[in-house]
Amino acid sequence: MRTIGLIGGLSWESTVIYYQIINQRVRERLGGSHSANSLIWSVDYTTVEDLVFAGRWDEVSTMLTGAGRKLEEAGAEVLLVCSNTFSRVSDDVARAASVPVLHIADVVAAQARARGMRRVGLLGTRFTMEQPFYRDRLAAQGLEVVVPPREQRELVHRVIFEELVRGVLRESSRDAFALIVAGLADAGAEGVILGCTEIELLISEKDTAVPVLPSARLHAEEAACFALGG
């Protein structure tokens, strides 16, 4: 079994999903009390959050590529940046590493295509929904991406940073997100990417009328598959 290296704490609320899903999938495959060989480098989220809001992405890159190198030195044989927003620097992490780096957008795109989707909605932070690093990666893999109107994007962004990364789950926010998903479906989305790893703590397909793609869960499942040799 290969050792998985998780660059986490982005935020730790969703890093928990990765650790849980990876170990569940390994146990399902191998049986008994098996669990994954894994390493986690968990950053202080406030530090990277402040850098992002200041537009200091070079410093974010330096921090996360350094985390990747430390994980590799400790024995990691595959790396994951456990975030959609911070996947903006995943290619930097990959260039600095000598082991594979599983990009979260690639995993999500593969699942969307496998489910026959061609037009997908995207929810996430304002960075993920509005900047090209994530949308362009999906488009390069044949997906047409739609996002909510500006007012709704601001609501999603606010809920992520003021509630979800702090472990706050409000029914009113769940209802608001469900309405936004419905609006994306009305705009032709065949499914909606939960493109912030914390969003799947709030909503799931039981809350929506169209399929959703839970990015953290899919990313973690791909990591477990890779660790087990496919």
Side-chain angles (χ1 to χ4, degrees), residues 19 22 49 55 72 78 84 100 110 117 124 160 183 198 224:
Y19 188 71
I22 287 169
E49 184 182 66
E72 190 175 345
V78 61
N84 292 276
M117 299 175 186
I160 290 168
E198 287 80 23

Side-chain angles (χ1 to χ4, degrees), residues 56-182:
R56 292 157 62 183
W57 282 99
D58 287 349
E59 292 175 60
V60 173
S61 176
T62 298
M63 183 180 296
L64 299 192
T65 55
R69 282 194 294 268
K70 289 181 175 71
L71 288 168
E72 190 175 345
E73 289 166 3
E77 297 168 275
V78 61
L79 298 175
L80 290 78
V81 176
C82 301
S83 169
N84 292 276
T85 297
F86 293 93
S87 73
R88 173 168 166 165
V89 301
S90 283
D91 287 343
D92 297 342
V93 174
R95 281 188 288 269
S98 59
V99 298
V101 176
L102 301 182
H103 197 295
I104 192 168
D106 294 343
V107 173
V108 171
Q111 180 65 202
R113 294 197 314 271
R115 296 177 68 170
M117 299 175 186
R118 290 295 177 266
R119 184 176 172 88
V120 293
L122 174 63
L123 295 184
T125 66
R126 189 169 61 236
F127 310 108
T128 302
M129 290 187 288
E130 297 179 358
Q131 294 180 10
F133 68 92
Y134 199 89
R135 296 171 58 171
D136 285 358
R137 196 162 186 120
L138 297 174
Q141 297 180 67
L143 296 175
E144 182 181 356
V145 181
V146 293
V147 297
R150 181 175 179 178
E151 183 177 336
Q152 293 182 344
R153 295 199 303 270
E154 292 296 328
L155 183 150
V156 171
H157 184 84
R158 178 184 59 77
V159 168
I160 290 168
F161 283 105
E162 295 181 10
E163 299 175 22
L164 302 185
V165 301
R166 302 177 184 180
V168 177
L169 304 176
R170 293 184 175 142
E171 192 68 30
S172 58
S173 296
R174 179 177 293 110
D175 293 343
F177 274 47
L179 285 173
I180 293 170
V181 170

Side-chain angles (χ1 to χ4, degrees), residues 4 6 17-26 36 220 223-224:
I4 300 168
L6 303 174
I17 298 174
Y18 279 84
Y19 188 71
Q20 181 180 52
I21 294 300
I22 287 169
N23 282 294
Q24 285 176 346
R25 295 297 172 265
V26 169

